[in-house]
Amino acid sequence: MSDKKRERVVILENKEIADQIFDMWIQSESIAKLAKAGQFLDLYCEDGSRLLPRPISICEIDGIKNMLRLVFRIAGKGTEEFSRKKAGMYLDVIGPLGNGFPIKKKSACIIGGGIGIPPMLELAKQLDCEKNIVLGYRDKLFLYEEFQKYGKVYAATEDGSFGTKGNVLDAVLEHGIQADIMYACGPLPMLRALKAYAGEKNIECYVSLEERMACGIGACLGCVCKSTKTDTHTNVRNKRICKEGPVFEAGEVNF
């Protein structure tokens, strides 16, 4: 994992791009140069009653201009506070945190579901290979057109208003998508289905797990998941999502 930094960053832009989903660009002095696709930041609230930082995945990285893009959903009072931030305002952040996606030159299927879609955009940019991208939505689309710059994009919506009616695996099966490696981020039921599918098809698979976090640096053990091997830190079959993850080879973890 890259060295992490704590910075006070300036907000360049913050706008709502879908219902309760916000798109924020920040300027950092050093974090953008260290960040990798699949990592995240911890954002601190100004309200003193909310002591714990909120983890937000990195959507895009511009290491030349020292800019990072964060796309997040309002999920509570902390993210609601961030949604009200305007350009020119500041945030205290620490990052980059966690381990990102391995960049391999194999034909890839990139899959994002819901708020697991944003961290897949930087991965899609960085992979230099044949790419099929599958995005799963409840109904309203966001970031869909931006992914089209980096590969062939398919969508699935729960209500059938766009693309395949159903989930991302339904879209994979409907279009006969094949790949040597699969990358995925989204809700656990989606990841379970993709892990099973990848196992059946003998596809190398990496998943990014979403979990509530407290410290974000691996100290509190508040975001552990079950692993297939004994963890050297805890001496039990656990992995800390914030530290050893959030990206895991699918066979490493049980969920």
Side-chain angles (χ1 to χ4, degrees), residues 98-111:
N99 288 299
F101 290 103
I103 305 299
K104 300 190 177 185
K105 197 162 185 177
K106 298 181 177 182
S107 63
C109 183
I110 301 168
I111 302 177

Side-chain angles (χ1 to χ4, degrees), residues 174-191:
E174 178 180 312
H175 296 286
I177 296 171
Q178 298 182 5
D180 294 324
I181 189 168
M182 180 181 291
Y183 302 93
C185 182
L188 281 179
M190 181 193 103
L191 296 181

Side-chain angles (χ1 to χ4, degrees), residues 20-21 28 32 58 73 78 80 135 147 172 211 220 222 235 241:
Q20 302 286 289
I21 296 177
S28 78
I58 297 171
R73 174 183 287 136
E80 195 277 331
L135 308 177
F147 276 93
V172 170
E211 184 56 83
C220 72
N235 293 318
I241 292 176

Side-chain angles (χ1 to χ4, degrees), residues 19-34:
D19 184 35
Q20 302 286 289
I21 296 177
F22 284 78
D23 184 354
M24 177 187 290
W25 279 95
I26 60 174
Q27 185 95 53
S28 78
E29 292 183 4
S30 57
I31 295 176
K33 293 188 183 300
L34 299 171

Side-chain angles (χ1 to χ4, degrees), residues 87-179:
M89 300 176 75
Y90 291 86
L91 278 171
D92 287 317
V93 308
I94 186 169
L97 298 172
N99 288 299
F101 290 103
I103 305 299
K104 300 190 177 185
K105 197 162 185 177
K106 298 181 177 182
S107 63
C109 183
I110 301 168
I111 302 177
I115 206 61
I117 291 172
M120 310 311 284
L121 184 59
E122 182 63 30
L123 177 66
K125 288 171 60 179
Q126 291 191 16
L127 288 175
D128 181 18
C129 60
E130 179 186 349
K131 288 168 278 190
N132 285 292
I133 302 165
V134 185
L135 308 177
Y137 302 90
R138 180 174 299 168
D139 44 31
K140 303 298 183 183
L141 274 58
F142 61 94
L143 299 180
Y144 178 82
E145 293 183 355
E146 295 190 47
F147 276 93
Q148 292 180 314
K149 304 172 189 175
Y150 307 113
K152 186 156 187 173
V153 184
Y154 306 87
T157 52
E158 292 180 12
D159 64 357
S161 58
F162 188 86
T164 300
K165 182 176 182 179
N167 57 41
V168 292
L169 186 52
D170 293 326
V172 170
L173 296 173
E174 178 180 312
H175 296 286
I177 296 171
Q178 298 182 5

